[in-house]
């Protein structure tokens, strides 16, 4: 599943969707503007212009183009999903008390928690206005349900992530909330706005869902095996933040009583000491859970590729196919 | 404008709308439920069942009934506005770092900021699902715009409220965002869902807008003249939180250079000392700004009453009329 760097599918998608993406950027800038509250574009620009990959808007644009859409509502929906994504990042940073995002200080450190909470709310409301403008109740229904899944997943993560009984099934719910629900909504609304036949809409949903899961599992794996320079995060952030992710869940499932006590102390009780991260990594190595996690991510990427079958044979479909391989290629 | 306690218009509205209100309560409980994240109903129940007055849902129900509505969507919209209100309270508590709400400890103290942010997001998404179920794009448009006004008002308050240049015009924008936008949306959607003629829909909007402004001005005044037992808040909270409200804005506008320096130190710079609240109160007394603020609140209440004219002569209209007087009667 290796893809040479020169032909990153993400860059090829961006090139193929270039004029649409420029229109989306214009729309995002226009809708961030606020006469009353100049703090809003200030905080948002920090995130939106921080080298975000525009992955979610590209999914919507590609889905609509693949289904032959020739209107302008796909631009609004692409801006909608980027606003929702940015809003959740702002709220996540408050919740996680993170200090770095995409390699830069987070908005809550540069400004304050208040700005992150309120500007996040503002972006949600702006996204809501944008989607209402499409006049499609089905689109609104999809995005309302995605919002609920996202919010419920976040709360679930908060309560379940430090509970050692959390298994792979609950992890999957959290991952759908954190990532896959917005990916699948992004692709599905692209099909719906194009009035695509139901099998194609379902294919787009299934692709976004599997791609999002592959993406998030890969992200959680990189937290333990990536290097800070490439990911913009510190290795072991999830461990320090007592967030159970797949590599640890797999190690907990096989733990000896002594190892279980270690996980209880460090994750459930949060009493961490020097050397704990190294010990946690050695337990993951003992049970080979990083490789097992990579296999899971690759299997979801393969599901995403298979889901594309009902869609028309088109250069964008080929790029989406390659994109699924690419999100897990970071792992090898 | 005094109303005897025995006939509080709020209680009369609750009695007249009793079966609708019970249905709304049932809907709220059902939609708060989450299999995945039991923390959600836990946090929400703390607020929803904390003796909230259900004022906003009653506005929607009364508006729909006044317009002869006989469907069931008004219940969903009443639950929608209560969810939006509760969500903004949860986020406000994080932003304000408040310790009391309705006389009880706030959710962010009982649980944590994370819960308040994320459960607030969850309630927003639930409200979004409820309103989509009505199938009315106009309702969605009204509530999307109200959400944007609310969010923008909150950000504006954060940046403008400690700036002594903030005049009565900016204060009014903040008040619309904080309170009036949801009141006017609550009444307007009641008319829209009933397919009421445009003049009646506009009358309902104007009533909600003026009622909300009267209500918020009264609330800001009570912060300086109420007693903690009755309001559940501490006298002078707004001063301590460096929040410019009408009684202070009116005093700043007439301040001598020495008084201006006092406001700069205490509000703009936030360097407060013992006795500052007492001095602030003495400056408000000097310029009689508490009475001037009460006169403003009464004038908005009168506007609300006048706005009701195009609506049918009905016991609910009479109660809404009395309600406008009641929200400012707390002041005398």
């Amino acid at each position: 599943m290796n893809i040479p760097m020169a032909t990153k599918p993400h860059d090829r998608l961006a090139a193929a969707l270039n004029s649409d993406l420029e229109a989306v950027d214009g729309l995002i800038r226009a809708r961030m503007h606020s006469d009353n509250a100049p703090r809003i574009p200030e905080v948002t620009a920090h995130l939106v212009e921080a080298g975000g990959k525009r992955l979610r808007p590209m999914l919507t644009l590609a889905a609509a183009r693949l289904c032959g859409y020739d209107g302008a509502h796909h631009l609004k929906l692409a801006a909608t999903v980027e606003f929702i994504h940015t809003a959740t990042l702002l709220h996540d940073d408050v919740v996680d008390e993170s200090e770095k995002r995409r390699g830069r200080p987070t908005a809550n450190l540069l400004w304050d928690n208040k700005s992150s909470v309120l500007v996040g709310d503002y972006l949600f409301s702006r996204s809501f206005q944008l989607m209402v403008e499409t006049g499609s109740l089905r689109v609104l229904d999809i995005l309302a349900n995605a919002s609920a899944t996202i919010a419920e997943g976040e709360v679930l993560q908060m309560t379940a992530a430090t509970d050692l009984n959390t298994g792979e099934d609950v992890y999957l719910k959290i991952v759908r909330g954190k990532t896959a629900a917005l990916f699948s909504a992004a692709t599905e609304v692209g099909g719906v706005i194009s009035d695509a036949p139901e099998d194609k809409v379902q294919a787009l949903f299934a692709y976004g869902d599997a791609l999002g899961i592959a993406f998030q599992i890969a992200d959680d794996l990189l937290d333990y095996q990536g290097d800070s320079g490439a990911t913009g995060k510190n290795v072991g952030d999830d461990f320090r933040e007592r967030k159970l992710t797949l590599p640890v869940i797999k190690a907990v499932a096989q733990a000896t009583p002594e190892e279980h006590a270690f996980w209880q102390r460090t994750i459930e009780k949060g009493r961490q000491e020097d050397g704990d991260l190294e010990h946690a990594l050695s337990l993951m190595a003992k049970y080979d859970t990083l490789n097992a996690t990579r296999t899971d991510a690759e299997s979801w990427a393969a599901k995403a590729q298979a889901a594309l079958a009902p869609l028309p044979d088109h250069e964008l479909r080929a790029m989406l196919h390659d994109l699924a391989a690419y999100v897990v290629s970071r792992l090898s």
Side-chain angles (χ1 to χ4, degrees), chain A:
Chain A
M1 282 197 174
N2 270 314
I3 308 278
M5 292 296 281
T7 58
K8 275 188 194 172
H10 181 276
D11 294 335
R12 281 186 284 134
L13 268 172
L17 298 164
N18 184 44
S19 63
D20 273 359
L21 271 177
E22 282 183 8
V24 171
D25 279 354
L27 198 52
I28 287 175
R29 269 193 297 274
R31 296 305 178 99
M32 284 194 313
H33 178 77
S34 165
D35 276 338
N36 291 333
R39 172 69 57 91
I40 289 170
E42 213 177 284
V43 174
T44 316
H46 174 72
L47 265 174
V48 173
E49 281 156 27
K53 296 180 298 295
R54 297 276 198 283
L55 184 54
R56 292 154 191 84
M58 288 207 293
L59 291 175
T60 300
L61 298 173
R65 291 298 183 198
L66 251 178
C67 296
Y69 184 64
D70 62 359
H73 285 332
H74 66 317
L75 304 175
K76 289 184 175 175
L77 292 174
T80 293
V81 296
E82 187 69 357
F83 273 166
I84 294 176
H85 174 57
T86 307
T88 60
L89 291 184
L90 282 166
H91 285 187
D92 279 355
D93 285 342
V94 177
V95 167
D96 291 347
E97 293 157 8
S98 351
E99 302 187 353
K100 259 183 175 188
R101 164 77 65 191
R102 293 176 184 165
R104 301 173 60 182
T106 56
N108 62 324
L109 271 194
L110 281 183
W111 291 278
D112 48 28
N113 274 349
K114 297 184 191 196
S115 301
S116 296
V117 171
L118 296 182
V119 176
D121 288 349
Y122 181 73
L123 290 178
F124 273 127
S125 68
R126 280 303 205 195
S127 75
F128 183 16
Q129 288 179 307
L130 275 163
M131 59 182 108
V132 168
E133 288 173 24
T134 68
S136 163
L137 280 167
R138 185 164 171 198
V139 158
L140 287 159
D141 189 47
I142 291 165
L143 290 167
N145 292 336
S147 299
T149 303
I150 292 167
E152 202 167 9
E154 299 266 16
V155 179
L156 184 60
Q157 167 164 294
M158 177 177 65
T159 49
T162 57
D163 177 354
L164 291 190
N165 295 316
T166 296
E168 299 199 12
D169 52 335
V170 174
Y171 172 77
L172 200 59
K173 274 186 190 169
I174 293 172
V175 163
R176 283 209 159 91
K178 269 181 93 155
T179 308
L182 192 54
F183 275 49
S184 59
T187 46
E188 189 179 6
V189 297
V192 167
I193 206 72
S194 314
D195 276 327
E198 202 51 34
D199 67 320
K200 294 192 172 50
V201 171
Q202 286 312 315
L204 285 166
F205 170 84
Y207 170 78
D209 182 57
L211 180 75
I213 294 171
F215 183 91
Q216 186 58 48
I217 294 178
D219 226 47
D220 290 345
L221 181 51
L222 280 171
D223 186 71
Y224 288 110
Q225 69 174 30
D227 66 286
S228 170
T231 62
K233 303 202 311 184
N234 306 311
V235 171
D237 272 348
D238 288 342
F239 179 76
R240 273 184 291 271
E241 291 166 16
R242 306 163 56 200
K243 214 179 273 176
L244 273 180
T245 58
L246 204 46
V248 173
I249 289 169
K250 287 178 186 291
V252 170
Q254 303 170 77
T256 64
E258 194 189 343
E259 289 164 7
H260 201 268
F262 168 78
W263 295 118
Q264 270 188 318
R265 173 173 64 77
T266 54
I267 302 283
E268 280 197 351
K269 300 189 179 137
R271 292 205 308 266
Q272 299 190 4
E273 300 160 6
D274 280 355
D276 279 346
L277 175 61
E278 291 69 22
H279 187 58
L281 286 165
S282 78
L283 294 178
M284 291 183 242
K286 175 181 173 189
Y287 297 110
D288 202 23
T289 68
L290 296 184
N291 280 323
T293 300
R294 188 174 71 214
T295 304
D296 284 0
E298 286 170 350
S299 144
W300 281 104
K303 271 188 214 177
Q305 294 180 324
L308 292 168
L311 293 162
D313 187 12
H314 187 288
E315 59 157 1
L316 287 170
R317 190 183 76 170
M319 290 177 199
L320 292 177
H321 192 276
D322 292 349
L323 179 65
Y326 177 69
V327 298
V328 295
S329 74
R330 300 179 291 164
L331 304 176
S332 42

